[in-house]
Amino acid sequence: MADRRPEKSCEQACESLKQQDYEVAVKHCTEALLSLSQYPPAHLPEACQAEIDRIKIETLLYRIASFLQLLLICVAVLGEGLAKGDGSFRAVLCCMHLKGKLQIVSNVLSKSLMGESL
């Protein structure tokens, strides 16, 4: 069975960032945050709470770094398409919208980038 400790997920997120696998890093961060949410802060000793806070901050920083890198990749791809200036990028977007495919792309991007709806 997989190790579900928040510390392990945090370590995996860091490793995924090093390997430039940003979507996997976000996934590990989400797992760590979900795992940390199971610990009610009012019932923990101060030392345990300090450790949980440390892991949470690290996880959030890894998650932010992953999101920023994914955003930069998206901007580069979009910028490349728009820079051509031939209207092909806009035409593809319009065609996808008319065929109902743009919502699918939006859903996938939302899930992989933030786990939330755009």
Side-chain angles (χ1 to χ4, degrees):
M1 182 168 210
D3 190 349
R4 300 279 298 160
R5 293 177 301 127
E7 300 93 346
K8 183 67 175 174
S9 293
C10 191
E11 291 168 12
Q12 290 171 323
C14 182
E15 190 59 35
S16 294
L17 271 173
K18 288 179 189 173
Q19 296 172 4
Q20 298 181 346
D21 197 346
Y22 306 111
E23 289 180 20
V24 174
V26 171
K27 178 180 166 269
H28 289 305
C29 289
T30 302
E31 289 172 2
L33 292 171
L34 287 172
S35 180
L36 288 170
S37 69
Q38 297 174 4
Y39 300 101
H43 306 304
L44 293 173
E46 193 172 315
C48 288
Q49 188 58 50
E51 180 66 9
I52 288 172
D53 290 344
R54 181 195 62 77
I55 295 167
K56 190 174 194 176
I57 290 168
E58 278 187 39
T59 301
L60 290 170
L61 288 171
Y62 294 144
R63 193 171 191 191
I64 290 167
S66 299
F67 286 154
L68 288 174
Q69 191 58 43
L70 286 168
L71 179 62
L72 290 173
I73 292 168
C74 290
V75 167
V77 170
L78 292 174
E80 186 179 306
L82 292 171
K84 288 182 180 177
D86 61 2
S88 61
F89 190 77
R90 181 180 167 89
V92 169
L93 287 177
C94 289
C95 183
M96 288 177 74
H97 176 67
L98 290 172
K99 292 180 178 180
K101 293 181 178 180
L102 200 54
Q103 186 61 45
I104 295 166
V105 171
S106 174
N107 291 343
V108 170
L109 287 173
S110 295
K111 201 177 289 185
S112 66
L113 293 176
M114 294 184 235
E116 302 168 2
S117 174
L118 289 176

